[in-house]
Amino acid sequence: MRSRSSDSRHAHLSRLPISRSTADDMKARKIFGISLSLILINLASIMERADENLLPAVYTEVSEAFKAGPTDLGYLTFIMNFVQALSSPLAGILVLRYDRPTVLSMGTVCWALSTAAVGVSHQFQQVAFWRAINGFGLAIVIPALQSFIADSYLDGVRGRGFGLLSLVGSIGGVGGGVLATIMAGKVYWGIPGWRCAFIMMALLSLLIGLLVFSFVIDPRKTHAHAHAHVNGESFESLVGKGTGLSHSAWTDSWIAMKTVLKVQTFQIIVLQGIIGSLPWTAMVFFTMWFQLIGFDHNSSAALISLFAMGCASGSLLGGVIADRMSQVYPHSGRVMCAQFSAFMGIPFSWFLLTVIPQSVNSWKVFAFTLFFMGLTISWCATCANNPICAEIVPPKHRTMIYAFDRAFEGSFSAFAAPIVGILSEKVYGYDLKSKDVGLGSARKAFALSRGLFSVMAVPFGICGLCYGLLYMTFRRDRENAMVATLKEQEMT
């Protein structure tokens, strides 16, 4: 017979899992059939994309405020992307020890504070410094977001999952770009509109970061909790307490890095990404180019919005088509979709930048071209890169592989924006000091369009060719990852 004190202790301990389970159940509730965690993660993606699009949307105003030319503006994008690339592996290290909602919240606070600081800066050097801090925050957030989605969907529908993330993220990109472009030409309470847009976006980002920290559940924690419930193991022993990076954590990080870097399929994805991300980085000049043609803020914002809507729809479309293709051709379907999307960038870049007359009378042609360009060239990440990365390493290394993907791609693609500026000024005759009468400048618009075309068409073609190498490596690496995952599960 047990004593009364023993019974009371047992009753007290039995209540602890119930209270924890109740709290987790509150966080795990669904809204319209979608988990609260996924809703908040997608809201974080919206704010991340909105933040990325803020500065490019107000390049013209920033150029006037700080007397900066395309090369200087390109360096701002370079600084942010380069710091983001160098800092991305930190996300993989942090996620090995802390849950992803915590890591996401830290990154969100970092980018929000730096965004607000850009809005109150009065020297070009200050803007450059805070853009670097902004890149550091994004470096922590993006890989954690990608691995969160990878763990939330099964292999056969993972393309759709990444497509939905890209779709809702693009809503933020459209919103951030349109908001900043429209506000840029106005003054609020004696403050230039573009500065108000930065401050407002920072406050919204802080709010989303707080909500993510408070209500999002890491999929790893959910799986570990279920495993502990079935096997009677300690929940804390499976997920860790997150008290800091121990010596074993650093060892695990080093092992994860070596494991990821040795995968040949990942090496090919990085190679194509380094080249294929150059055109996308160069596109930050689209808003400025349209304004130089002569379009006002509203017309330019509408064109960028149509392009973003095309990209958003294309990301989801590409992910869904690739999921279907992967069921018929498990080891090549995603690769074929990616090649199609990359090669479509060549004719669309040529038609947009060299064929369409650079006049305000061509707005409808620009709008039609931009939408369908976005619809077809935006598949690669959702149809191939992100789903393939999730399949070629064990689940515990997913954040690390996304982090290194961002590190390698971002470090090289960061050079695209300065290259566009240098080509425009040094090769095609963009003159910052020239005074133009009326709205826009035909000469500057022509120079900038040729600089853009030089950094877009050729990389799109090389990117498509690089994808062809995956036909030789993806099947082997995917099967190796499956074997490694099964061994880990047996050991557990």
Side-chain angles (χ1 to χ4, degrees), residues 356-382:
I356 301 176
Q358 297 188 21
S359 166
V360 292
N361 297 324
S362 303
W363 190 91
K364 292 183 179 180
V365 182
F366 277 122
F368 182 87
T369 304
L370 285 167
F371 179 80
F372 283 97
M373 178 179 180
L375 190 66
T376 55
I377 70 171
S378 56
W379 296 14
C380 295
T382 57

PDB file of all heavy atoms in Angstrom, residues 356-382:
ATOM      1  N   ILE A 356       9.990  46.372 -76.204  1.00  0.00           N
ATOM      2  CA  ILE A 356       8.874  47.279 -75.897  1.00  0.00           C
ATOM      3  C   ILE A 356       9.362  48.733 -75.918  1.00  0.00           C
ATOM      4  O   ILE A 356      10.367  49.060 -75.292  1.00  0.00           O
ATOM      5  CB  ILE A 356       8.280  46.963 -74.507  1.00  0.00           C
ATOM      6  CG1 ILE A 356       7.784  45.522 -74.445  1.00  0.00           C
ATOM      7  CG2 ILE A 356       7.130  47.929 -74.192  1.00  0.00           C
ATOM      8  CD1 ILE A 356       7.270  45.111 -73.081  1.00  0.00           C
ATOM      9  N   PRO A 357       8.689  49.626 -76.647  1.00  0.00           N
ATOM     10  CA  PRO A 357       9.082  51.042 -76.657  1.00  0.00           C
ATOM     11  C   PRO A 357       9.046  51.619 -75.238  1.00  0.00           C
ATOM     12  O   PRO A 357       8.060  51.454 -74.520  1.00  0.00           O
ATOM     13  CB  PRO A 357       8.033  51.701 -77.554  1.00  0.00           C
ATOM     14  CG  PRO A 357       7.495  50.588 -78.398  1.00  0.00           C
ATOM     15  CD  PRO A 357       7.543  49.359 -77.552  1.00  0.00           C
ATOM     16  N   GLN A 358      10.114  52.300 -74.850  1.00  0.00           N
ATOM     17  CA  GLN A 358      10.207  52.847 -73.499  1.00  0.00           C
ATOM     18  C   GLN A 358       9.473  54.191 -73.454  1.00  0.00           C
ATOM     19  O   GLN A 358      10.073  55.261 -73.481  1.00  0.00           O
ATOM     20  CB  GLN A 358      11.666  52.964 -73.072  1.00  0.00           C
ATOM     21  CG  GLN A 358      12.349  51.606 -73.007  1.00  0.00           C
ATOM     22  CD  GLN A 358      13.748  51.653 -72.407  1.00  0.00           C
ATOM     23  OE1 GLN A 358      14.103  52.580 -71.695  1.00  0.00           O
ATOM     24  NE2 GLN A 358      14.555  50.637 -72.701  1.00  0.00           N
ATOM     25  N   SER A 359       8.149  54.082 -73.372  1.00  0.00           N
ATOM     26  CA  SER A 359       7.282  55.247 -73.382  1.00  0.00           C
ATOM     27  C   SER A 359       6.094  54.992 -72.466  1.00  0.00           C
ATOM     28  O   SER A 359       5.686  53.833 -72.257  1.00  0.00           O
ATOM     29  CB  SER A 359       6.797  55.538 -74.813  1.00  0.00           C
ATOM     30  OG  SER A 359       5.713  56.447 -74.821  1.00  0.00           O
ATOM     31  N   VAL A 360       5.512  56.058 -71.930  1.00  0.00           N
ATOM     32  CA  VAL A 360       4.347  55.911 -71.059  1.00  0.00           C
ATOM     33  C   VAL A 360       3.155  55.337 -71.832  1.00  0.00           C
ATOM     34  O   VAL A 360       2.223  54.804 -71.227  1.00  0.00           O
ATOM     35  CB  VAL A 360       3.971  57.269 -70.426  1.00  0.00           C
ATOM     36  CG1 VAL A 360       5.033  57.727 -69.451  1.00  0.00           C
ATOM     37  CG2 VAL A 360       3.737  58.321 -71.502  1.00  0.00           C
ATOM     38  N   ASN A 361       3.182  55.432 -73.135  1.00  0.00           N
ATOM     39  CA  ASN A 361       2.102  54.864 -73.953  1.00  0.00           C
ATOM     40  C   ASN A 361       2.143  53.336 -73.991  1.00  0.00           C
ATOM     41  O   ASN A 361       1.191  52.702 -74.468  1.00  0.00           O
ATOM     42  CB  ASN A 361       2.174  55.405 -75.377  1.00  0.00           C
ATOM     43  CG  ASN A 361       1.964  56.912 -75.429  1.00  0.00           C
ATOM     44  OD1 ASN A 361       1.181  57.465 -74.659  1.00  0.00           O
ATOM     45  ND2 ASN A 361       2.676  57.584 -76.337  1.00  0.00           N
ATOM     46  N   SER A 362       3.226  52.746 -73.501  1.00  0.00           N
ATOM     47  CA  SER A 362       3.381  51.287 -73.541  1.00  0.00           C
ATOM     48  C   SER A 362       2.982  50.623 -72.231  1.00  0.00           C
ATOM     49  O   SER A 362       3.336  49.463 -71.989  1.00  0.00           O
ATOM     50  CB  SER A 362       4.844  50.925 -73.868  1.00  0.00           C
ATOM     51  OG  SER A 362       5.267  51.502 -75.080  1.00  0.00           O
ATOM     52  N   TRP A 363       2.226  51.334 -71.388  1.00  0.00           N
ATOM     53  CA  TRP A 363       1.918  50.789 -70.063  1.00  0.00           C
ATOM     54  C   TRP A 363       1.223  49.431 -70.153  1.00  0.00           C
ATOM     55  O   TRP A 363       1.568  48.492 -69.422  1.00  0.00           O
ATOM     56  CB  TRP A 363       1.016  51.768 -69.297  1.00  0.00           C
ATOM     57  CG  TRP A 363       0.854  51.398 -67.852  1.00  0.00           C
ATOM     58  CD1 TRP A 363       1.609  51.809 -66.795  1.00  0.00           C
ATOM     59  CD2 TRP A 363      -0.140  50.508 -67.308  1.00  0.00           C
ATOM     60  NE1 TRP A 363       1.151  51.245 -65.628  1.00  0.00           N
ATOM     61  CE2 TRP A 363       0.077  50.426 -65.908  1.00  0.00           C
ATOM     62  CE3 TRP A 363      -1.188  49.763 -67.854  1.00  0.00           C
ATOM     63  CZ2 TRP A 363      -0.705  49.659 -65.067  1.00  0.00           C
ATOM     64  CZ3 TRP A 363      -1.965  48.970 -67.011  1.00  0.00           C
ATOM     65  CH2 TRP A 363      -1.719  48.928 -65.631  1.00  0.00           C
ATOM     66  N   LYS A 364       0.232  49.286 -71.035  1.00  0.00           N
ATOM     67  CA  LYS A 364      -0.503  48.033 -71.128  1.00  0.00           C
ATOM     68  C   LYS A 364       0.383  46.881 -71.581  1.00  0.00           C
ATOM     69  O   LYS A 364       0.256  45.749 -71.090  1.00  0.00           O
ATOM     70  CB  LYS A 364      -1.693  48.190 -72.072  1.00  0.00           C
ATOM     71  CG  LYS A 364      -2.787  49.113 -71.539  1.00  0.00           C
ATOM     72  CD  LYS A 364      -3.966  49.174 -72.492  1.00  0.00           C
ATOM     73  CE  LYS A 364      -5.073  50.069 -71.949  1.00  0.00           C
ATOM     74  NZ  LYS A 364      -6.239  50.157 -72.867  1.00  0.00           N
ATOM     75  N   VAL A 365       1.294  47.172 -72.506  1.00  0.00           N
ATOM     76  CA  VAL A 365       2.205  46.122 -72.977  1.00  0.00           C
ATOM     77  C   VAL A 365       3.150  45.718 -71.853  1.00  0.00           C
ATOM     78  O   VAL A 365       3.435  44.532 -71.638  1.00  0.00           O
ATOM     79  CB  VAL A 365       2.996  46.604 -74.208  1.00  0.00           C
ATOM     80  CG1 VAL A 365       3.903  45.497 -74.723  1.00  0.00           C
ATOM     81  CG2 VAL A 365       2.049  47.066 -75.296  1.00  0.00           C
ATOM     82  N   PHE A 366       3.671  46.712 -71.117  1.00  0.00           N
ATOM     83  CA  PHE A 366       4.520  46.415 -69.963  1.00  0.00           C
ATOM     84  C   PHE A 366       3.755  45.555 -68.950  1.00  0.00           C
ATOM     85  O   PHE A 366       4.291  44.580 -68.408  1.00  0.00           O
ATOM     86  CB  PHE A 366       4.980  47.716 -69.290  1.00  0.00           C
ATOM     87  CG  PHE A 366       6.177  48.343 -69.926  1.00  0.00           C
ATOM     88  CD1 PHE A 366       6.120  49.637 -70.409  1.00  0.00           C
ATOM     89  CD2 PHE A 366       7.377  47.656 -70.034  1.00  0.00           C
ATOM     90  CE1 PHE A 366       7.231  50.230 -70.999  1.00  0.00           C
ATOM     91  CE2 PHE A 366       8.490  48.232 -70.612  1.00  0.00           C
ATOM     92  CZ  PHE A 366       8.418  49.532 -71.098  1.00  0.00           C
ATOM     93  N   ALA A 367       2.506  45.927 -68.674  1.00  0.00           N
ATOM     94  CA  ALA A 367       1.708  45.217 -67.675  1.00  0.00           C
ATOM     95  C   ALA A 367       1.490  43.763 -68.084  1.00  0.00           C
ATOM     96  O   ALA A 367       1.683  42.835 -67.268  1.00  0.00           O
ATOM     97  CB  ALA A 367       0.367  45.923 -67.486  1.00  0.00           C
ATOM     98  N   PHE A 368       1.096  43.535 -69.321  1.00  0.00           N
ATOM     99  CA  PHE A 368       0.856  42.182 -69.821  1.00  0.00           C
ATOM    100  C   PHE A 368       2.143  41.356 -69.748  1.00  0.00           C
ATOM    101  O   PHE A 368       2.142  40.206 -69.291  1.00  0.00           O
ATOM    102  CB  PHE A 368       0.342  42.259 -71.256  1.00  0.00           C
ATOM    103  CG  PHE A 368       0.016  40.932 -71.875  1.00  0.00           C
ATOM    104  CD1 PHE A 368      -1.232  40.358 -71.705  1.00  0.00           C
ATOM    105  CD2 PHE A 368       0.959  40.259 -72.641  1.00  0.00           C
ATOM    106  CE1 PHE A 368      -1.536  39.127 -72.283  1.00  0.00           C
ATOM    107  CE2 PHE A 368       0.671  39.035 -73.218  1.00  0.00           C
ATOM    108  CZ  PHE A 368      -0.582  38.466 -73.025  1.00  0.00           C
ATOM    109  N   THR A 369       3.242  41.928 -70.211  1.00  0.00           N
ATOM    110  CA  THR A 369       4.523  41.213 -70.236  1.00  0.00           C
ATOM    111  C   THR A 369       5.000  40.881 -68.833  1.00  0.00           C
ATOM    112  O   THR A 369       5.453  39.760 -68.561  1.00  0.00           O
ATOM    113  CB  THR A 369       5.580  42.045 -70.967  1.00  0.00           C
ATOM    114  OG1 THR A 369       5.120  42.363 -72.280  1.00  0.00           O
ATOM    115  CG2 THR A 369       6.896  41.285 -71.056  1.00  0.00           C
ATOM    116  N   LEU A 370       4.917  41.847 -67.921  1.00  0.00           N
ATOM    117  CA  LEU A 370       5.406  41.631 -66.562  1.00  0.00           C
ATOM    118  C   LEU A 370       4.631  40.538 -65.847  1.00  0.00           C
ATOM    119  O   LEU A 370       5.216  39.705 -65.136  1.00  0.00           O
ATOM    120  CB  LEU A 370       5.324  42.938 -65.772  1.00  0.00           C
ATOM    121  CG  LEU A 370       6.393  43.983 -66.099  1.00  0.00           C
ATOM    122  CD1 LEU A 370       6.019  45.325 -65.500  1.00  0.00           C
ATOM    123  CD2 LEU A 370       7.757  43.531 -65.572  1.00  0.00           C
ATOM    124  N   PHE A 371       3.307  40.519 -66.021  1.00  0.00           N
ATOM    125  CA  PHE A 371       2.512  39.502 -65.337  1.00  0.00           C
ATOM    126  C   PHE A 371       2.888  38.100 -65.806  1.00  0.00           C
ATOM    127  O   PHE A 371       3.128  37.191 -64.996  1.00  0.00           O
ATOM    128  CB  PHE A 371       1.019  39.746 -65.555  1.00  0.00           C
ATOM    129  CG  PHE A 371       0.145  38.709 -64.897  1.00  0.00           C
ATOM    130  CD1 PHE A 371      -0.126  38.772 -63.544  1.00  0.00           C
ATOM    131  CD2 PHE A 371      -0.382  37.660 -65.644  1.00  0.00           C
ATOM    132  CE1 PHE A 371      -0.921  37.807 -62.936  1.00  0.00           C
ATOM    133  CE2 PHE A 371      -1.175  36.687 -65.045  1.00  0.00           C
ATOM    134  CZ  PHE A 371      -1.444  36.765 -63.690  1.00  0.00           C
ATOM    135  N   PHE A 372       2.940  37.893 -67.127  1.00  0.00           N
ATOM    136  CA  PHE A 372       3.235  36.552 -67.631  1.00  0.00           C
ATOM    137  C   PHE A 372       4.707  36.195 -67.465  1.00  0.00           C
ATOM    138  O   PHE A 372       5.051  35.007 -67.346  1.00  0.00           O
ATOM    139  CB  PHE A 372       2.800  36.437 -69.090  1.00  0.00           C
ATOM    140  CG  PHE A 372       1.318  36.282 -69.246  1.00  0.00           C
ATOM    141  CD1 PHE A 372       0.511  37.372 -69.530  1.00  0.00           C
ATOM    142  CD2 PHE A 372       0.712  35.049 -69.078  1.00  0.00           C
ATOM    143  CE1 PHE A 372      -0.864  37.234 -69.648  1.00  0.00           C
ATOM    144  CE2 PHE A 372      -0.660  34.895 -69.204  1.00  0.00           C
ATOM    145  CZ  PHE A 372      -1.460  35.996 -69.491  1.00  0.00           C
ATOM    146  N   MET A 373       5.559  37.191 -67.411  1.00  0.00           N
ATOM    147  CA  MET A 373       6.958  36.936 -67.095  1.00  0.00           C
ATOM    148  C   MET A 373       7.065  36.388 -65.672  1.00  0.00           C
ATOM    149  O   MET A 373       7.723  35.374 -65.419  1.00  0.00           O
ATOM    150  CB  MET A 373       7.775  38.222 -67.232  1.00  0.00           C
ATOM    151  CG  MET A 373       9.244  38.080 -66.882  1.00  0.00           C
ATOM    152  SD  MET A 373      10.121  39.661 -67.117  1.00  0.00           S
ATOM    153  CE  MET A 373      11.787  39.200 -66.654  1.00  0.00           C
ATOM    154  N   GLY A 374       6.399  37.059 -64.724  1.00  0.00           N
ATOM    155  CA  GLY A 374       6.406  36.578 -63.353  1.00  0.00           C
ATOM    156  C   GLY A 374       5.780  35.203 -63.207  1.00  0.00           C
ATOM    157  O   GLY A 374       6.229  34.366 -62.415  1.00  0.00           O
ATOM    158  N   LEU A 375       4.732  34.933 -63.991  1.00  0.00           N
ATOM    159  CA  LEU A 375       4.021  33.662 -63.914  1.00  0.00           C
ATOM    160  C   LEU A 375       4.890  32.479 -64.325  1.00  0.00           C
ATOM    161  O   LEU A 375       4.694  31.362 -63.841  1.00  0.00           O
ATOM    162  CB  LEU A 375       2.773  33.726 -64.801  1.00  0.00           C
ATOM    163  CG  LEU A 375       1.763  32.583 -64.681  1.00  0.00           C
ATOM    164  CD1 LEU A 375       1.108  32.588 -63.308  1.00  0.00           C
ATOM    165  CD2 LEU A 375       0.722  32.680 -65.782  1.00  0.00           C
ATOM    166  N   THR A 376       5.855  32.690 -65.202  1.00  0.00           N
ATOM    167  CA  THR A 376       6.639  31.580 -65.747  1.00  0.00           C
ATOM    168  C   THR A 376       8.068  31.478 -65.218  1.00  0.00           C
ATOM    169  O   THR A 376       8.648  30.393 -65.234  1.00  0.00           O
ATOM    170  CB  THR A 376       6.708  31.684 -67.285  1.00  0.00           C
ATOM    171  OG1 THR A 376       7.218  32.984 -67.648  1.00  0.00           O
ATOM    172  CG2 THR A 376       5.338  31.497 -67.903  1.00  0.00           C
ATOM    173  N   ILE A 377       8.660  32.577 -64.745  1.00  0.00           N
ATOM    174  CA  ILE A 377      10.075  32.513 -64.346  1.00  0.00           C
ATOM    175  C   ILE A 377      10.255  32.300 -62.848  1.00  0.00           C
ATOM    176  O   ILE A 377      11.403  32.258 -62.365  1.00  0.00           O
ATOM    177  CB  ILE A 377      10.823  33.802 -64.760  1.00  0.00           C
ATOM    178  CG1 ILE A 377      10.364  34.995 -63.907  1.00  0.00           C
ATOM    179  CG2 ILE A 377      10.644  34.087 -66.235  1.00  0.00           C
ATOM    180  CD1 ILE A 377      11.210  36.244 -64.125  1.00  0.00           C
ATOM    181  N   SER A 378       9.168  32.127 -62.105  1.00  0.00           N
ATOM    182  CA  SER A 378       9.246  32.102 -60.644  1.00  0.00           C
ATOM    183  C   SER A 378       9.089  30.714 -60.039  1.00  0.00           C
ATOM    184  O   SER A 378       8.821  30.568 -58.853  1.00  0.00           O
ATOM    185  CB  SER A 378       8.168  33.025 -60.066  1.00  0.00           C
ATOM    186  OG  SER A 378       6.881  32.652 -60.532  1.00  0.00           O
ATOM    187  N   TRP A 379       9.268  29.654 -60.834  1.00  0.00           N
ATOM    188  CA  TRP A 379       9.009  28.309 -60.342  1.00  0.00           C
ATOM    189  C   TRP A 379      10.163  27.696 -59.556  1.00  0.00           C
ATOM    190  O   TRP A 379       9.941  26.871 -58.677  1.00  0.00           O
ATOM    191  CB  TRP A 379       8.709  27.379 -61.521  1.00  0.00           C
ATOM    192  CG  TRP A 379       7.484  27.692 -62.308  1.00  0.00           C
ATOM    193  CD1 TRP A 379       6.729  28.835 -62.290  1.00  0.00           C
ATOM    194  CD2 TRP A 379       6.854  26.824 -63.260  1.00  0.00           C
ATOM    195  NE1 TRP A 379       5.690  28.753 -63.163  1.00  0.00           N
ATOM    196  CE2 TRP A 379       5.734  27.528 -63.781  1.00  0.00           C
ATOM    197  CE3 TRP A 379       7.123  25.550 -63.716  1.00  0.00           C
ATOM    198  CZ2 TRP A 379       4.890  26.972 -64.741  1.00  0.00           C
ATOM    199  CZ3 TRP A 379       6.286  24.988 -64.680  1.00  0.00           C
ATOM    200  CH2 TRP A 379       5.178  25.696 -65.179  1.00  0.00           C
ATOM    201  N   CYS A 380      11.375  28.051 -59.861  1.00  0.00           N
ATOM    202  CA  CYS A 380      12.540  27.256 -59.458  1.00  0.00           C
ATOM    203  C   CYS A 380      12.605  26.963 -57.960  1.00  0.00           C
ATOM    204  O   CYS A 380      12.849  25.826 -57.553  1.00  0.00           O
ATOM    205  CB  CYS A 380      13.826  27.953 -59.903  1.00  0.00           C
ATOM    206  SG  CYS A 380      13.999  28.049 -61.701  1.00  0.00           S
ATOM    207  N   ALA A 381      12.398  27.966 -57.127  1.00  0.00           N
ATOM    208  CA  ALA A 381      12.541  27.760 -55.689  1.00  0.00           C
ATOM    209  C   ALA A 381      11.496  26.793 -55.153  1.00  0.00           C
ATOM    210  O   ALA A 381      11.804  25.896 -54.358  1.00  0.00           O
ATOM    211  CB  ALA A 381      12.460  29.097 -54.956  1.00  0.00           C
ATOM    212  N   THR A 382      10.238  26.956 -55.584  1.00  0.00           N
ATOM    213  CA  THR A 382       9.160  26.135 -55.031  1.00  0.00           C
ATOM    214  C   THR A 382       9.021  24.783 -55.712  1.00  0.00           C
ATOM    215  O   THR A 382       8.592  23.814 -55.085  1.00  0.00           O
ATOM    216  CB  THR A 382       7.820  26.885 -55.121  1.00  0.00           C
ATOM    217  OG1 THR A 382       7.558  27.244 -56.488  1.00  0.00           O
ATOM    218  CG2 THR A 382       7.852  28.149 -54.288  1.00  0.00           C
TER     219      THR A 382
END
